[in-house]
Each structure stands twice: as C-alpha cells, then as structure tokens.
Amino acid sequence: MVKSYLRYEPAACFGVIVSVESKIAYDSSGKHLLVPALEKIGIWHVRQGLCTKTLTPLPSSNSKAPSNAVTSISSSSSRIASGYAQGTIRIWDSEKGMCETTLNGHKGAVTALRYNKLGSLLASGGKDNDIILWDVVAETGLFRLRGHRDQVTDLVFLDSGNKLVTASKDKFLRAWDLDTQHCMQIISGHHSEIWSIDIDPEEKYLVTGSADPELRFYSINHENKTDMNKELPTENKWEVLKSFGEIQRQSKDRVATVKFNKSGNLLACQVAGKTVEIFRVLDESESKCKAKRRISRKEKKAAKEGREATEKGETDIEAEGGSNLVVTVPDIFKLHQILWAGKKISSISFSPVTSKNSLATLALSLNNNLLEFHAIESSSTTKLSAIEIQGHRADVRSVTLSSDNTLLMSTSHNAIKIWNPTTGSCLHTIDSGYGLCGLFVPGNKYAVVGTKGGTLEIIDIRSGTCVEVVEAHGGSVQSIALIPDGTGFLTGSADHDVKFWEFQIVQKTGEVYKHLTASPGRSLKMNDDVLVVAASPDGKLVAVALSDNTVKVFYMDSLKFFLSLYGHNLPVFCMDISSDGDLLVTGSADKNVRIWGLVFGDIHKSLFAHADSVMGIKFVCNTHYFFSVGKDRLVKYWDADKFELLLTLEGHHAEVWCLAISNRGDFIVTGSHDRSIRRWDRTEEQLFIEEEKEKRLEEMFALETDNAFENKYAIKEELPEEGAVALAGKMTQETLTGTDSIIEALDMANGERKRIAEHEVEKLKGRVSAFRPNILMLGLSPSDYILRALSSVHTNDLEQVLLVELVGNVAAIVVRLHHHQLISTVSAKPLVTRLEDSVPPKVKEFKDLIGGNLAAMCHLEQLMSMRLGVVSRDVKTKLWEIRSCNAKRIEAREDTKQEKKRKKKQKKLDGGHVWS
C-alpha cells in the first residue's frame, strides 16, 4: 500500500510593517496609508495605528518564485494599483479588499505606477525599460512605449493625461504624446541617474531628483502647439518642458523621492539617507518681492565695491519698474526645514488632508520596519506618532512555541516579542540584548533568552518584563535546550562551555513578589566553540555540535563521552533528536542534512537538502518526519525513514534563520531575515511521494525546455527604435492555457457541426433518429460554445492568446526549428515551395480583413460620438493607427516586390527549386 502524508500550506504572515522594495502612499481620503509588506499591501488607519485590511494576492499558478514582492503602489479614488517584482500589476478594490484584475505586460519588476487625474488610465514603467499605458475601465493594455535604455524610475501625467513624462536611469527625461503615441521631447543635462520626478498640482513646474547636487526644475508648456503667428526663433514650438533653473541641495546623498503636497505649497526632497529637505513654494507676490530684494542687494553690493552696474538685464528690468521682473527658481522655492530621522528613510508620502495646526503631515517609512508621521509646522516639525509594535526592527533570530502552542516568542537584535500565533497579534514587547535563542519554562509563565553578550534574560510573560539578567558565559549564548524533566536547561556558548542550569524561585530584598531565576550547576568544557546543544527526550544523552564540524554525544548523568559523529565538511548549525531517541538529524553549512542513529552512532543517510546553509531543523513530535530551513529561503519537509523529500514550502523573501513546531505537529512557525514570521498549517489534503516527484520533475523539465528554447531559438531583442510603440501584453502561462482551451473548443465545435450535418443528411434520407448532442458542450450550440471559450479568457490576455494561434506564426517557427533538416531533404523541397506560395497570400488576406474591420469600427465610433455629442479621445489615436497601418502596408508591398524579383533570380540559379 502506498504511504500518504498530509500537506502543509501557508496560513499566516505577520511581523512586517513595511518593506523597502516599494514606496508608501496615502489613499484619496487621507485616513489610510498604503504600505508594502513583502508580497502584501497593508492598509493602516493613521489615527488608530492599526492595520485595518491586508491585500493578499492569490498564489500564481505559472510561477514558483517566492520573492514576488510589491515594488510600486498607486491609488485613485477607490482603486489601488500595485506592481510586483515579476512584472504583474494588480488592480484592487480598496473597500472590498478584492483583486479586480491582473495585468501582465512587463518582463521585469514594475518600478513606477501612476494614475491620471480621472483615474481611467494607468501608466507603468519597469526594469525592462518599457512604459505601458493601461485602460483601467476596460482592463486591458493600450500600447507600449519604448525608447529608454535603462530602468524607468518614475513617471507623471501632464495636461489631464494627454501627455506623459518619464524618467529613467539612462539620465534622460522623455515627454510622450499619448494621442499620437510618440516621443515629443528628449531632455538631457543630468549627470547621473534620475530617480524621481513630480509636478505641482497646477502643473506649472516639474522637478527632478538625481545623484547630482542640485534639484532641476522645468516649466510646463500647456499648449499643444505654439501660436504660428509668433516668431520664436530661439524656442522649439513642440517642446513640452523648458528648463527653468536649479537649486542646490543640502545633502550629498542621491535623491530618492521628490514630492509636492496636495496644495502645492510644500516640496519634499527625500535622499537615500536620514534626511528630508522641505522647501516652501512661494506664491507669485512673495516670489516677486524676493526677486526685488535679491536684485536690490546685488545693486548695493556692486555700488559698495565701486562697480557701475551689475547684471545689465536685471538693472534694466528694475529700472522699468519691475514690470518684467525675472523670477528665478530660488525666488520661488525656499528651504523651509530639514527633517532628521533616526534610521535611513525608504520613502515618504504627503497626506492629502491638511490639519489646521500644521502646513502638512508627512509619513515616513524607515528601513528598520517602522512608520513615522510628522507634522510640518511653520517653524519646526513635530513627530506625531509611530507604528512599531507589530514588527521587529531587524531580522528574526529565533522563534519558540509554548507547551500549549498558544504563545510564540521571537527574538531580535534589541527586543523580544510575544505573539499570538493564531491571530498574529503582538501581545508584549520587551527590550533586551541581541537574542540568539530562547525557550519557555514549563508552565509558560516565564521564558529564558540567551543573548549575544553572553547573558541569560529571564522574562515574565504575564507582565511582559525582564525580571533578571544572569551573567552566564564569556561568549555569546549560541544554543539553549530544556532538560526533559523540566527542572532546568543547558546552554552552549562560544566560550567553549556547556553549562547546566536549574530553575529557582527567589525574592530579592525590597521586592514584593517572587520571581524565577536560574542558578548554574555542572559544566562541560569543550575544545571548540559550541554551536548547538540538544538533549534526548529520555534525558540520557546530550549532543553538542562544535565548530570543528563534529557532533559529540555525552551521557547526561555522568557527562562521560559516548559518541563522536563526523562527516560534515563545514560546521553544524542546527540539530534535533527524535521523540523516541533513535535518530539524530543535523544540518550544516555544507548544505547537507545527515541522519544518524544514536544507538551506535552510524550514519543512515546524507541528503543534499538546500542550495545554501541549513540554518534550522526540527522533528515533528512522535514521528520521524522533520522540517529543515536554510539560507535559500525554502522550508522543506522530509521523511527520515525513507530518506525522501516530501514537500517544499516557498514564501520567504530572504534567508530563513529558525523554525518551531507545535507539539501536535499541526503547524510550524518560521522566522526570516526579511523580518517576517510565517505560520504553515497542516491540512487534510493527502500527498504522495511519487506524485510530488513527478511534479518537481515536470517543473524542472519545463524550466529547462523554456530556457533551452529561449537560448537557442528565441529572437534576440534589439534596441528599440526611437519612440517605438509595441503591444502592451506579454506571453504567460495563462495565455497558453487560454490558447489551448480555444483550440479545444474549435475542434469540438467542428466535430459537432459535422455530426449535425450528417444527422440532417440521414433525416433527408428518411432514416430519422434522435440526435444526441455532445454532453461536453453543456447543451450549447457550436458557435455559443466557442463564444463561451473566448469569453473565459481575460481581456488583457485575449490579444496574446489569438496571436499564439496564427498559422503563419506556427509555420515560421517550424521552418526555423527544422531548417537544417528541410534543406538537406529532397522530398521536403515541394513542401517548402507550397508553403511559400500559400502562406503570404493568406496572411495578406487576413491583414486586409483586420484593417477593414478596424477602419469600420473607428467609423462607427465616430458616428456614435457624433450622435451623443461627445468627442471620443480615442478617435485621433485610432485614425493615426490606420494611417500608420496603411503606410506600413505600402512599404510591405514594395518589399514584397523586391523579394519576388530576388527569388526569381535565385530560382533560376537553383534549377527551379526555392530554398528557404
């Protein structure tokens, strides 16, 4: 009989307040802050400091990558758009917390997202250097803009969405006309990558931030065309942005974000450090007064130095009474304050709601998993609040479950947190040293934590305080293990000592209540640093892992040497003993897991477990199943009797340091360098070893096949032409699945039509019999069944799905794949000749059909807009597309004529055969 196991699945993730891969953003109401939390988006109520909702994407069927983190966020009214590291974009309903649609278009991480003012269009930029414009209402991509030579870092809409300005690491700004889908202007001048751009609410100025020591400003031309009657010999009639000036920054770090507040009277410049420079935007009268004072000071200074005049233009303007006063950037943007944070700032966001007592409220996300809110006042900045309790400031180094599985303790570099593992809520936060290990004392009223400083901290769980600190070792306490009888515990340290401790209840002088403490007992001196200690469940043996790559086993009562287990090539970082005391499992930095027998010290099996160091390993209680975690971000489930990998759990975005398993084995908890704590629950779904093996082999084969095809046969993408436009979508597993479903529906419908025709023939011959429709068609007619298959495909994927089915595409790919065989086989020559004669005319016929349908639809759109009295903004775009298609068709005809002439000559040379 085939043995079955129960599957573990992701159940909860907590401990992450904000991740650094994306910027934070306020919603339109200003009450909530949208915060990236690895693959999720947390919606935090600003005043209450609570996460009211979490937007969690469903696991993708076409990807096994765990690190699909949120890389960009944008909001508009009730919609939230989020971009991910795999190139997908999800549109969320913020009220329902549901994902409305998923858009696939980018081949790299989505690094920039921005809605237009109406919220009907969404622009995205990615690491693939492309910009895609999406129709949010129709849930489809409109077109792809190409031209940047490096990652797109930021973008903004201009003129109510008719134009788009993008910034990139290639040091260029580009202005795009969305009606004609072409690049109108390319702006150079930056000496380093442009990291952020923004415009003021009135769309007067555009500001850019880079690693240059200054902020650059550009004035925005709102006219599509300059008046032709005006003579402007020095100006470009078509330029959208004109250089206005620059101001020096105070910090030497590169700019990370530039942002105007909603009213436009403040500009914040956040650098890749601990500061935010806040500039006040003066109104027209204030800026003119400042310009006059500046000119007056220059005149006085020149007169004092004995000069006759300063800058001739300015003195002339001043002499005219200031009617044509030249206002510069420093006259408008005045440094107001510099805000300092305790840690490096990741991103900022202005609240759209302004309070009466302050100019604006600024939210900061710090790189230590912390959110801060500051009020910007006329003379200073005030810290309003911070969200910090729900997560550690650094990576989680250890996790420990209580005996009844109702409490979870996690340690980090400066704090201990007590959690409810079911709800993920933080119950207590205790300041501590750098905690490396910990355990719950029997009774679950106290806990003991070993620190990097060599101390043991006694924690009172009920009050959430540290009641005593015991100086335990001369080096860091690397490991701690409970003695099975519950009377004490043992610790292993970098000072080469293994110490035994006993629990005691004491009452110090001056204290009212008694509390727990630990007193040292026996000790065991080792020759190297002690990395891990473990006690057998029967209390007879103690296992000690040393930095010399070996594991020493001693009798617990006499501390006499029993076994030496060697075989690992690098130090053992983790180990555990099974509940029956028969097996010892060790995990090492050599990426291997070894299973040992404790009776004779024999090795049962060595398994290549992880792609990096194995950091944690634990047996499931009363079984020989165990879990292992490693620096490769994976959690793996093993059978120690059959030496088989049962399951691989993916989800962490960084190295996994530790794990803990409940007493019943119904869930496990893991802690990671990404500061997240994840719970994995055991389900009732059964899994079989052979099925899991087949799945892994299929995934590996598919991955290798895709890579081999891409490397050998894929067409290498050349650098895009200047201002090139392409399709918005991309090929994914969903589009291939949709293609298969449509082809299957077509085949089934054709077969049903043949059966219906045959039935009609039999009916005419007098052989009347009841027609039995195909039950797989669900009682639908052939045409309705095909329509059902088409409607099941997502709107954004429909274009790519239909492109896959092009017969011409298939023929070209087949000929390219088997080119060498075709030219070397004599019998294949007629086949290639027939393909040449039949494919081009058919392709041309369908292109003409599609072009005619497109023109007809555009004409109908014009008629409908004229009847309704509304001008459609897409009419000009469609007409431009038709003109472009016609121009390309004429060029294609000319190319075809030239190609036919060349082939005729080649045909004469080859004796009547055409070689492809």
Side-chain angles (χ1 to χ4, degrees):
M1 185 177 179
V2 180
K3 187 175 182 179
S4 64
Y5 305 85
L6 294 179
R7 186 181 298 275
Y8 284 80
E9 290 184 351
C13 176
F14 50 92
V16 179
I17 300 174
V18 56
S19 52
V20 299
E21 289 83 5
S22 173
K23 298 178 181 179
I24 59 176
Y26 272 95
D27 66 350
S28 56
S29 66
K31 296 180 180 179
H32 297 91
L33 186 67
L34 311 177
V35 177
L38 301 179
E39 74 276 8
K40 302 179 182 180
I41 298 176
I43 303 179
W44 292 82
H45 195 285
V46 176
R47 289 189 177 180
Q48 297 176 359
L50 298 175
C51 185
T52 58
K53 203 172 296 180
T54 302
L55 307 181
T56 306
L58 296 175
S60 176
S61 60
N62 67 326
S63 177
K64 294 286 289 180
S67 58
N68 192 20
V70 177
T71 54
S72 54
I73 296 176
S74 182
S75 66
S76 174
S77 62
S78 63
R79 284 192 177 97
I80 298 171
S82 59
Y84 293 84
Q86 290 178 341
T88 58
I89 299 171
R90 289 183 173 90
I91 309 296
W92 304 83
D93 187 327
S94 59
E95 297 178 356
K96 299 179 181 178
M98 301 292 292
C99 180
E100 293 183 343
T101 184
T102 301
L103 306 173
N104 293 303
H106 289 284
K107 297 179 182 178
V110 181
T111 54
L113 279 177
R114 188 83 65 132
Y115 277 101
N116 66 342
K117 288 183 179 179
L118 298 177
S120 60
L121 296 178
L122 176 69
S124 64
K127 282 189 175 180
D128 55 2
N129 311 344
D130 292 347
I131 302 106
I132 301 179
L133 195 70
W134 306 90
D135 188 336
V136 179
V137 179
E139 300 180 356
T140 185
L142 298 178
F143 48 84
R144 183 190 301 264
L145 301 173
R146 288 177 170 171
H148 283 296
R149 297 294 189 268
D150 207 337
Q151 170 186 328
V152 179
T153 55
D154 207 352
L155 41 81
V156 291
F157 280 95
L158 294 181
D159 200 13
S160 301
N162 291 331
K163 294 178 182 63
L164 185 72
V165 178
T166 59
S168 170
K169 284 186 177 181
D170 61 6
K171 308 176 187 178
F172 290 103
L173 284 176
R174 285 177 178 265
W176 307 83
D177 191 322
L178 300 182
D179 291 333
T180 57
Q181 303 174 15
H182 79 283
C183 182
M184 300 179 63
Q185 187 181 4
I186 302 175
I187 302 170
S188 60
H190 292 83
H191 304 294
S192 58
E193 296 92 343
I194 306 173
W195 288 98
S196 181
I197 60 175
D198 199 20
I199 58 171
D200 65 315
E202 297 179 357
E203 295 189 1
K204 290 182 179 179
Y205 312 109
L206 182 140
V207 58
T208 65
S210 64
D212 299 344
E214 62 275 335
L215 293 177
R216 287 183 168 85
F217 291 83
Y218 299 87
S219 58
I220 301 172
N221 179 19
H222 293 279
E223 299 294 332
N224 292 332
K225 293 183 181 180
T226 310
D227 190 356
M228 301 299 293
N229 297 326
K230 293 181 180 180
E231 295 183 0
L232 296 173
T234 61
E235 294 185 7
N236 185 356
K237 298 177 181 179
W238 303 99
E239 68 179 8
V240 180
L241 301 175
K242 182 181 177 182
S243 179
F244 182 50
E246 57 190 34
I247 54 175
Q248 294 293 319
R249 298 188 291 111
Q250 302 297 314
S251 174
K252 295 181 180 180
D253 297 324
R254 72 165 179 87
V255 175
T257 309
V258 287
K259 205 78 174 175
F260 282 96
N261 66 337
K262 188 175 182 180
S263 59
N265 62 343
L266 291 177
L267 170 66
C269 171
Q270 174 236 329
V271 300
K274 298 182 180 180
T275 61
V276 179
E277 299 175 18
I278 300 171
F279 296 88
R280 184 163 170 246
V281 184
L282 305 181
D283 56 23
E284 187 176 356
S285 60
E286 290 176 329
S287 58
K288 284 184 177 180
C289 291
K290 189 175 179 181
K292 289 180 180 179
R293 289 195 300 270
R294 170 175 55 82
I295 295 173
S296 176
R297 285 196 300 270
K298 284 186 178 181
E299 288 180 347
K300 290 180 180 179
K301 185 178 180 181
K304 187 176 181 180
E305 293 176 354
R307 297 178 183 176
E308 295 180 356
T310 65
E311 304 168 356
K312 187 176 180 181
E314 291 185 349
T315 53
D316 292 340
I317 290 172
E318 187 66 23
E320 293 176 4
S323 59
N324 296 323
L325 186 65
V326 176
V327 178
T328 61
V329 172
D331 297 331
I332 301 175
F333 297 91
K334 176 185 177 182
L335 182 62
H336 182 60
Q337 293 172 22
I338 297 179
L339 190 152
W340 288 82
K343 290 290 182 179
K344 187 177 179 181
I345 304 171
S346 298
S347 63
I348 61 172
S349 181
F350 273 111
S351 172
V353 179
T354 305
S355 62
K356 296 180 180 179
N357 300 326
S358 62
L359 298 175
T361 302
L362 187 67
L364 310 180
S365 70
L366 308 184
N367 70 342
N368 63 341
N369 200 24
L370 179 66
L371 291 173
E372 289 184 354
F373 300 91
H374 294 260
I376 302 172
E377 300 171 352
S378 57
S379 59
S380 63
T381 58
T382 305
K383 183 178 176 180
L384 299 176
S385 61
I387 299 175
E388 57 183 346
I389 297 176
Q390 290 81 357
H392 283 288
R393 306 282 75 78
D395 47 350
V396 181
R397 297 299 305 189
S398 73
V399 288
T400 311
L401 283 167
S402 61
S403 59
D404 56 1
N405 303 323
T406 59
L407 296 175
L408 172 70
M409 179 176 67
S410 63
T411 65
S412 185
H413 80 297
N414 65 351
I416 300 166
K417 288 186 179 290
I418 309 297
W419 307 83
N420 183 335
T422 305
T423 62
S425 58
C426 182
L427 305 178
H428 297 291
T429 300
I430 305 109
D431 293 335
S432 71
Y434 198 132
L436 297 178
C437 53
L439 59 82
F440 277 94
V441 177
N444 302 324
K445 294 181 180 179
Y446 292 92
V448 182
V449 174
T451 67
K452 195 173 182 179
T455 61
L456 292 175
E457 298 185 358
I458 312 298
I459 307 300
D460 189 338
I461 302 297
R462 293 167 295 183
S463 62
T465 58
C466 178
V467 294
E468 189 172 355
V469 178
V470 180
E471 295 293 334
H473 288 275
S476 59
V477 181
Q478 300 282 0
S479 180
I480 187 169
L482 187 69
I483 296 176
D485 59 9
T487 59
F489 60 95
L490 61 149
T491 58
S493 169
D495 62 359
H496 303 185
D497 284 344
V498 177
K499 290 187 177 181
F500 291 77
W501 302 80
E502 295 179 356
F503 295 122
Q504 290 183 351
I505 301 295
V506 298
Q507 183 178 5
K508 292 184 178 180
T509 56
E511 293 183 355
V512 179
Y513 301 102
K514 297 180 180 180
H515 65 80
L516 185 79
T517 187
S519 60
R522 299 176 297 169
S523 65
L524 185 62
K525 191 70 176 178
M526 309 303 295
N527 295 326
D528 288 282
D529 292 0
V530 179
L531 301 181
V532 194
V533 294
S536 62
D538 56 7
K540 294 181 179 180
L541 301 175
V542 176
V544 181
L546 304 177
S547 59
D548 62 357
N549 311 344
T550 63
V551 177
K552 310 290 185 184
V553 183
F554 300 87
Y555 290 104
M556 185 176 291
D557 52 359
S558 62
L559 297 184
K560 288 185 177 180
F561 175 76
F562 175 47
L563 294 170
S564 178
L565 309 178
Y566 55 89
H568 283 291
N569 298 322
L570 291 172
V572 175
F573 286 156
C574 53
M575 65 180 177
D576 195 24
I577 301 175
S578 60
S579 300
D580 56 8
D582 291 342
L583 298 179
L584 171 71
V585 61
T586 58
S588 168
D590 60 9
K591 310 174 188 177
N592 293 328
V593 165
R594 287 178 176 256
I595 303 169
W596 312 81
L598 277 181
V599 179
F600 301 104
D602 56 325
I603 180 170
H604 290 188
K605 191 70 173 178
S606 178
L607 303 171
F608 181 75
H610 291 267
D612 208 331
S613 301
V614 184
M615 302 307 298
I617 202 162
K618 288 285 183 182
F619 272 105
V620 179
C621 191
N622 299 323
T623 69
H624 282 180
Y625 310 146
F626 66 90
F627 284 89
S628 65
V629 298
K631 287 185 177 181
D632 58 357
R633 311 177 182 183
L634 300 179
V635 181
K636 294 191 176 183
Y637 186 29
W638 305 83
D639 187 338
D641 291 331
K642 293 190 174 183
F643 317 125
E644 293 283 357
L645 173 63
L646 304 179
L647 195 62
T648 300
L649 302 173
E650 300 178 348
H652 281 290
H653 295 245
E655 299 91 338
V656 187
W657 295 123
C658 51
L659 83 158
I661 303 179
S662 66
N663 292 337
R664 298 185 297 272
D666 53 345
F667 70 91
I668 69 169
V669 179
T670 55
S672 170
H673 181 70
D674 60 14
R675 298 168 186 156
S676 69
I677 300 172
R678 293 179 185 264
R679 193 183 83 241
W680 317 78
D681 287 356
R682 186 174 63 197
T683 64
E684 296 301 321
E685 181 184 354
Q686 291 184 339
L687 66 91
F688 300 92
I689 294 178
E690 294 302 324
E691 290 183 359
E692 294 299 317
K693 280 184 179 179
E694 289 179 4
K695 287 181 183 178
R696 288 194 292 270
L697 288 174
E698 288 175 0
E699 290 169 1
M700 290 173 61
F701 178 74
L703 183 62
E704 290 177 0
T705 304
D706 292 342
N707 291 339
F709 181 82
E710 290 177 3
N711 295 334
K712 189 172 183 180
Y713 301 111
I715 300 173
K716 295 183 179 179
E717 291 189 4
E718 297 180 355
L719 287 175
E721 297 179 0
E722 188 61 44
V725 180
L727 297 177
K730 71 172 181 179
M731 196 70 64
T732 61
Q733 186 65 37
E734 283 81 4
T735 60
L736 296 177
T737 305
T739 302
D740 293 338
S741 65
I742 292 176
I743 292 175
E744 184 181 354
L746 287 170
D747 293 339
M748 193 175 296
N750 287 332
E752 188 71 3
R753 282 175 178 170
K754 289 180 181 179
R755 291 182 64 243
I756 293 173
E758 291 173 358
H759 176 71
E760 293 295 333
V761 172
E762 294 293 330
K763 190 175 180 181
L764 292 175
K765 291 181 180 180
R767 303 172 186 174
V768 179
S769 61
F771 179 75
R772 295 182 179 179
N774 190 346
I775 60 173
L776 296 177
M777 298 185 65
L778 307 174
L780 300 174
S781 65
S783 58
D784 290 339
Y785 187 72
I786 295 173
L787 185 61
R788 179 179 177 272
L790 283 170
S791 60
S792 64
V793 180
H794 193 273
T795 309
N796 183 50
D797 298 332
L798 188 58
E799 188 172 21
Q800 293 292 331
V801 167
L802 297 178
L803 282 175
V804 174
E805 295 184 16
L806 292 179
V807 179
N809 242 357
V810 176
I813 291 173
V814 170
V815 171
R816 187 168 70 247
L817 289 176
H818 305 287
H819 178 260
H820 297 293
Q821 292 85 347
L822 289 173
I823 64 174
S824 60
T825 306
V826 178
S827 60
K829 293 177 183 178
L831 175 62
V832 177
T833 305
R834 287 200 303 272
L835 281 175
E836 184 193 22
D837 294 338
S838 60
V839 172
K842 290 293 183 182
V843 172
K844 183 179 181 302
E845 180 183 346
F846 279 106
K847 284 180 68 178
D848 293 340
L849 178 63
I850 293 171
N853 290 339
L854 180 62
M857 286 189 291
C858 289
H859 181 63
L860 288 174
E861 185 182 19
Q862 282 183 311
L863 292 176
M864 292 175 65
S865 61
M866 290 172 63
R867 288 177 184 174
L868 297 173
V870 179
V871 179
S872 174
R873 69 178 303 274
D874 293 334
V875 171
K876 291 191 290 182
T877 304
K878 297 296 182 183
L879 291 175
W880 182 83
E881 288 179 355
I882 295 170
R883 289 196 296 269
S884 300
C885 290
N886 290 335
K888 290 180 181 178
R889 197 174 299 163
I890 293 170
E891 292 177 2
R893 287 175 184 171
E894 294 297 329
D895 293 339
T896 305
K897 290 179 182 179
Q898 297 294 331
E899 186 68 13
K900 284 182 178 179
K901 290 180 181 179
R902 187 188 64 79
K903 287 185 177 180
K904 283 181 181 179
K905 293 180 181 179
Q906 186 68 30
K907 193 172 184 181
K908 291 178 181 179
L909 295 173
D910 295 341
H913 294 292
V914 178
W915 298 79
S916 179

XYZ file of all heavy atoms in Angstrom, residues 190-222:
276
model
N 21.202 65.843 -17.101
C 21.545 65.212 -15.832
C 22.841 64.427 -15.995
O 23.074 63.787 -17.019
C 20.417 64.279 -15.390
C 19.157 64.992 -15.004
N 18.234 65.397 -15.934
C 18.682 65.376 -13.794
C 17.230 65.997 -15.311
N 17.481 66.004 -14.016
N 23.657 64.455 -14.958
C 24.947 63.772 -14.991
C 24.894 62.394 -14.344
O 25.889 61.672 -14.341
C 26.012 64.622 -14.289
C 26.136 65.999 -14.864
N 26.595 66.237 -16.146
C 25.839 67.220 -14.333
C 26.583 67.548 -16.382
N 26.134 68.161 -15.291
N 23.752 62.021 -13.783
C 23.598 60.709 -13.145
C 22.140 60.268 -13.296
O 21.311 60.985 -13.861
C 23.991 60.779 -11.666
O 23.200 61.753 -10.995
N 21.842 59.083 -12.794
C 20.506 58.520 -12.941
C 19.443 59.417 -12.308
O 19.641 59.952 -11.223
C 20.433 57.133 -12.292
C 21.331 56.087 -12.932
C 22.680 56.025 -12.259
O 23.007 56.999 -11.537
O 23.403 55.038 -12.448
N 18.320 59.552 -12.998
C 17.182 60.304 -12.466
C 16.332 59.327 -11.674
O 15.829 58.344 -12.210
C 16.359 60.951 -13.597
C 17.258 61.798 -14.497
C 15.232 61.789 -13.016
C 16.563 62.323 -15.732
N 16.119 59.615 -10.389
C 15.436 58.675 -9.512
C 13.987 59.048 -9.249
O 13.173 58.174 -8.933
C 16.179 58.566 -8.179
C 17.465 57.833 -8.301
C 18.714 58.360 -8.433
C 17.643 56.415 -8.330
N 19.657 57.367 -8.541
C 19.029 56.158 -8.482
C 16.770 55.329 -8.254
C 19.540 54.866 -8.534
C 17.290 54.048 -8.309
C 18.656 53.826 -8.452
N 13.628 60.315 -9.384
C 12.259 60.707 -9.051
C 11.903 62.011 -9.745
O 12.774 62.878 -9.940
C 12.099 60.865 -7.529
O 10.778 61.216 -7.192
N 10.632 62.126 -10.139
C 10.110 63.370 -10.708
C 8.715 63.601 -10.144
O 8.046 62.669 -9.688
C 10.038 63.326 -12.259
C 9.118 62.187 -12.717
C 11.414 63.189 -12.860
C 8.902 62.156 -14.223
N 8.276 64.849 -10.164
C 6.921 65.176 -9.719
C 6.543 66.547 -10.273
O 7.422 67.355 -10.633
C 6.823 65.174 -8.193
C 5.376 65.059 -7.717
O 4.532 64.611 -8.512
O 5.086 65.424 -6.560
N 5.238 66.800 -10.332
C 4.718 68.094 -10.774
C 3.839 68.669 -9.679
O 3.266 67.936 -8.869
C 3.912 67.972 -12.084
C 2.753 66.981 -11.901
C 4.789 67.560 -13.238
C 1.787 66.974 -13.062
N 3.729 69.998 -9.663
C 2.851 70.634 -8.690
C 1.399 70.480 -9.132
O 1.118 70.180 -10.297
C 3.232 72.103 -8.538
C 2.991 72.897 -9.797
O 3.356 72.392 -10.884
O 2.442 73.998 -9.707
N 0.427 70.638 -8.243
C -0.978 70.409 -8.601
C -1.472 71.281 -9.760
O -2.350 70.860 -10.521
C -1.727 70.728 -7.303
C -0.725 70.518 -6.220
C 0.587 70.915 -6.801
N -0.913 72.485 -9.910
C -1.348 73.362 -11.003
C -0.603 73.082 -12.303
O -0.839 73.758 -13.309
C -1.150 74.827 -10.586
C -1.991 75.229 -9.388
C -1.753 76.682 -8.994
O -0.890 77.325 -9.635
O -2.424 77.163 -8.065
N 0.315 72.126 -12.271
C 1.103 71.726 -13.442
C 1.882 72.908 -14.039
O 1.947 73.100 -15.244
C 0.219 71.074 -14.513
C -0.390 69.752 -14.063
C -1.064 69.020 -15.197
O -1.043 69.531 -16.330
O -1.621 67.938 -14.952
N 2.493 73.693 -13.136
C 3.371 74.783 -13.580
C 4.817 74.313 -13.701
O 5.515 74.681 -14.644
C 3.307 75.954 -12.590
C 2.005 76.718 -12.594
C 2.116 77.878 -11.609
C 0.838 78.711 -11.593
N 0.950 79.823 -10.628
N 5.252 73.528 -12.714
C 6.654 73.145 -12.653
C 6.774 71.626 -12.538
O 5.945 70.953 -11.923
C 7.354 73.791 -11.449
C 7.089 75.262 -11.300
C 6.282 75.743 -10.269
C 7.635 76.179 -12.188
C 6.020 77.093 -10.129
C 7.383 77.536 -12.055
C 6.573 77.984 -11.025
O 6.313 79.322 -10.901
N 7.846 71.119 -13.115
C 8.241 69.720 -12.934
C 9.626 69.716 -12.316
O 10.521 70.426 -12.775
C 8.243 68.969 -14.262
C 8.603 67.481 -14.199
C 7.725 66.678 -15.150
C 10.072 67.232 -14.544
N 9.806 68.924 -11.260
C 11.081 68.856 -10.555
C 11.651 67.456 -10.699
O 10.913 66.460 -10.703
C 10.903 69.232 -9.061
C 9.902 68.320 -8.377
C 12.232 69.206 -8.331
N 12.953 67.365 -10.850
C 13.633 66.081 -10.977
C 14.721 65.980 -9.923
O 15.367 66.975 -9.584
C 14.271 65.924 -12.373
O 15.305 66.910 -12.534
C 13.237 66.097 -13.460
N 14.904 64.758 -9.421
C 15.945 64.493 -8.432
C 16.840 63.360 -8.889
O 16.366 62.341 -9.390
N 18.139 63.545 -8.720
C 19.119 62.543 -9.132
C 20.252 62.551 -8.114
O 20.118 63.089 -7.017
C 19.638 62.844 -10.537
O 20.339 64.077 -10.558
N 21.380 61.955 -8.489
C 22.553 61.993 -7.616
C 23.330 63.296 -7.762
O 24.316 63.508 -7.046
C 23.460 60.799 -7.911
N 22.906 64.156 -8.663
C 23.537 65.461 -8.811
C 23.289 66.308 -7.565
O 22.283 66.131 -6.877
C 22.979 66.181 -10.045
C 23.247 65.401 -11.320
O 24.096 64.492 -11.281
O 22.599 65.692 -12.340
N 24.154 67.261 -7.282
C 23.994 68.052 -6.049
C 22.869 69.075 -6.107
O 22.705 69.839 -5.161
C 25.358 68.743 -5.905
C 25.900 68.804 -7.289
C 25.411 67.582 -7.985
N 22.103 69.127 -7.182
C 21.032 70.106 -7.291
C 19.733 69.451 -7.755
O 19.737 68.367 -8.344
C 21.411 71.231 -8.274
C 21.646 70.773 -9.697
C 23.050 70.287 -9.953
O 23.971 70.717 -9.208
O 23.232 69.459 -10.869
N 18.638 70.125 -7.447
C 17.326 69.763 -7.981
C 17.083 70.611 -9.223
O 17.274 71.836 -9.196
C 16.219 70.022 -6.956
C 16.195 69.157 -5.697
C 15.071 69.627 -4.778
C 16.018 67.694 -6.037
N 16.640 69.972 -10.310
C 16.375 70.691 -11.551
C 14.873 70.897 -11.716
O 14.079 70.003 -11.434
C 16.942 69.921 -12.751
C 18.461 69.989 -12.842
C 18.967 69.274 -14.096
N 20.359 69.563 -14.354
C 21.381 68.928 -13.807
N 21.135 67.952 -12.962
N 22.630 69.248 -14.088
N 14.534 72.104 -12.202
C 13.137 72.467 -12.394
C 12.888 72.794 -13.862
O 13.755 73.358 -14.547
C 12.764 73.671 -11.524
C 12.736 73.364 -10.056
C 13.910 73.371 -9.307
C 11.550 73.073 -9.415
C 13.902 73.082 -7.960
C 11.527 72.788 -8.062
C 12.703 72.796 -7.341
N 11.679 72.430 -14.321
C 11.272 72.690 -15.696
C 9.879 73.316 -15.689
O 9.001 72.905 -14.917
C 11.239 71.396 -16.521
C 12.575 70.705 -16.613
C 12.987 69.801 -15.631
C 13.444 70.961 -17.673
C 14.223 69.175 -15.700
C 14.685 70.335 -17.753
C 15.064 69.445 -16.760
O 16.284 68.835 -16.834
N 9.706 74.326 -16.528
C 8.372 74.907 -16.698
C 7.614 74.098 -17.746
O 8.201 73.582 -18.708
C 8.476 76.373 -17.129
O 9.203 76.477 -18.341
N 6.307 73.957 -17.566
C 5.481 73.103 -18.414
C 4.704 73.948 -19.396
O 4.014 74.905 -19.002
C 4.519 72.263 -17.551
C 5.322 71.393 -16.578
C 3.626 71.395 -18.426
C 4.469 70.675 -15.564
N 4.822 73.621 -20.671
C 4.055 74.283 -21.725
C 2.756 73.525 -21.924
O 2.743 72.370 -22.350
C 4.879 74.306 -23.022
C 4.118 74.975 -24.158
O 3.167 75.714 -23.913
N 4.540 74.714 -25.376
N 1.629 74.187 -21.641
C 0.326 73.518 -21.727
C -0.261 73.555 -23.120
O -1.255 72.885 -23.383
C -0.664 74.154 -20.748
C -0.291 73.912 -19.318
N -0.570 72.735 -18.660
C 0.364 74.697 -18.435
C -0.121 72.808 -17.423
N 0.454 73.993 -17.254
